[in-house]
Amino acid sequence: MNILKISKLFLFFLAVSCKEKSTSNDMTTSSSNKLKTEDISYNVDGKNYKSFVAYKEGSNEAKPVVMILPEWWGLRDYAKDRAKQLAELGYFAMAVDLYGDAKVVDNPTDAQKLTEPFYKIPVNAKMIFDGAKARILKFDNADYNKIAVIGYCFGGAQALNMARQESDLKGVVSFHGNLMTGIKPKNNKVPILVCNGAADSFVSPEEIAAFKKQMDSSHVKYTFIDYPNAVHSFTNPASTEIGKKFNLKVAYNKEADEKSWNDMKVFLKDIFK
């Protein structure tokens, strides 16, 4: 069966038949409104994946879902912290393991090796994404019919790929991600927000122009925001030290981080109406 065309019935079967291991750590905010986090395990195409979910307890109402695709370092604390922030806003958040077994790396050479297959064979990312998405069906407090995706750097590029392939998503946000990723839009139903650093040397003016032309010609609803003086990875407080360590033009920009987060909040509120 073509994984790109699997039905929701198959997704449900995948969700309920996968092997699961869960641990939880509660962060108490009140006696009836706790922030709960869980590490969840599931299988995709014979490989184990370990993602992370965060949500507030105390309500039986299903919450809109925000899936977070991490930077090329893998599923580190940064993506998990973003999941917690989104849960505090009232969403069911999942930080997605894209590499398997929650693998993380600490240098650009290893990171590039792990990300290359996603660009060479983009459908593999969709298969992994579908496996994570199917796992959401096991949570009664997650609204499977209201799913958005956000991503950072490499994850931002993959988020755009999901928008280009998956028409059921409510919306996608890319933070300082590459724009032309090898997948052309196959639908024009998913609105997109691109949060780009105006001084990002990893995203050229030519790439931006090509992206906008592609979106316009495909009649995709999108918003492109440039944040002044922001370079690559401007949302991650750890990026400045990483830039110094590996001689990369990446750095944290507090103003751009806060503005882009607020822009994302407005975008999510609008798409989940």
Side-chain angles (χ1 to χ4, degrees):
M1 182 182 294
N2 189 326
I3 191 65
L4 297 179
K5 295 182 178 179
I6 56 180
S7 66
K8 287 188 177 180
L9 179 62
F10 178 79
L11 283 174
F12 180 77
F13 175 79
L14 175 62
V16 298
S17 64
C18 67
K19 294 182 179 180
E20 172 194 353
K21 295 179 182 179
S22 297
T23 60
S24 65
N25 295 295
D26 289 352
M27 298 176 60
T28 302
T29 55
S30 72
S31 59
S32 62
N33 194 16
K34 296 184 294 185
L35 179 64
K36 184 173 182 179
T37 64
E38 297 183 40
D39 297 302
I40 58 172
S41 296
Y42 51 94
N43 189 279
V44 178
D45 197 31
K47 188 174 182 178
N48 190 52
Y49 290 82
K50 299 178 181 179
S51 292
F52 174 89
V53 298
Y55 54 90
K56 279 189 175 182
E57 295 184 303
S59 172
N60 294 325
E61 183 178 355
K63 303 170 178 63
V65 176
V66 182
M67 300 176 71
I68 305 148
L69 306 186
E71 301 167 296
W72 68 348
W73 311 113
L75 186 51
R76 302 206 295 194
D77 286 344
Y78 176 66
K80 294 179 180 181
D81 288 342
R82 290 300 192 186
K84 294 174 187 177
Q85 287 180 283
L86 285 160
E88 290 286 5
L89 294 174
Y91 299 110
F92 182 99
M94 171 187 277
V96 180
D97 173 17
L98 291 175
Y99 295 153
D101 288 321
K103 183 178 179 62
V104 297
V105 294
D106 60 3
N107 64 86
T109 301
D110 287 341
Q112 185 172 6
K113 289 179 181 178
L114 286 172
T115 58
E116 281 179 353
F118 289 85
Y119 293 103
K120 291 181 178 178
I121 312 176
V123 293
N124 284 353
K126 183 66 167 56
M127 179 177 67
I128 295 167
F129 175 83
D130 282 341
K133 185 181 171 188
R135 182 61 178 78
I136 293 169
L137 283 165
K138 291 183 72 73
F139 291 90
D140 293 335
N141 58 340
D143 190 340
Y144 189 83
N145 295 312
K146 292 183 177 180
I147 298 178
V149 183
I150 73 171
Y152 295 88
C153 297
F154 159 71
Q158 296 310 309
L160 291 177
N161 276 349
M162 297 309 108
R164 290 162 177 164
Q165 300 178 74
E166 176 62 83
S167 61
D168 289 340
L169 298 174
K170 292 298 183 182
V172 160
V173 184
S174 171
F175 293 93
H176 42 78
N178 289 109
L179 305 173
M180 304 301 288
T181 58
I183 290 287
K184 293 183 179 180
K186 296 180 180 178
N187 71 79
N188 57 4
K189 298 179 182 178
V190 181
I192 293 171
L193 170 63
V194 174
C195 300
N196 183 68
D200 190 338
S201 61
F202 291 89
V203 182
S204 68
E206 292 78 16
E207 184 174 0
I208 293 172
F211 170 78
K212 290 181 177 179
K213 181 179 180 180
Q214 185 183 74
M215 294 297 98
D216 291 338
S217 63
S218 301
H219 305 290
V220 176
K221 180 182 178 181
Y222 73 99
T223 302
F224 190 98
I225 303 176
D226 265 332
Y227 299 92
N229 305 314
V231 298
H232 198 65
S233 199
F234 62 81
T235 65
N236 190 338
S239 61
T240 301
E241 188 61 32
I242 291 172
K244 293 177 180 177
K245 182 177 181 179
F246 296 108
N247 193 29
L248 296 172
K249 194 176 180 182
V250 300
Y252 179 64
N253 186 304
K254 186 175 185 295
E255 181 178 5
D257 175 28
E258 292 176 351
K259 286 184 176 179
S260 61
W261 184 256
N262 286 331
D263 288 333
M264 177 211 70
K265 289 196 293 185
V266 172
F267 178 80
L268 292 178
K269 186 177 181 179
D270 183 59
I271 64 172
F272 285 136
K273 285 180 180 178

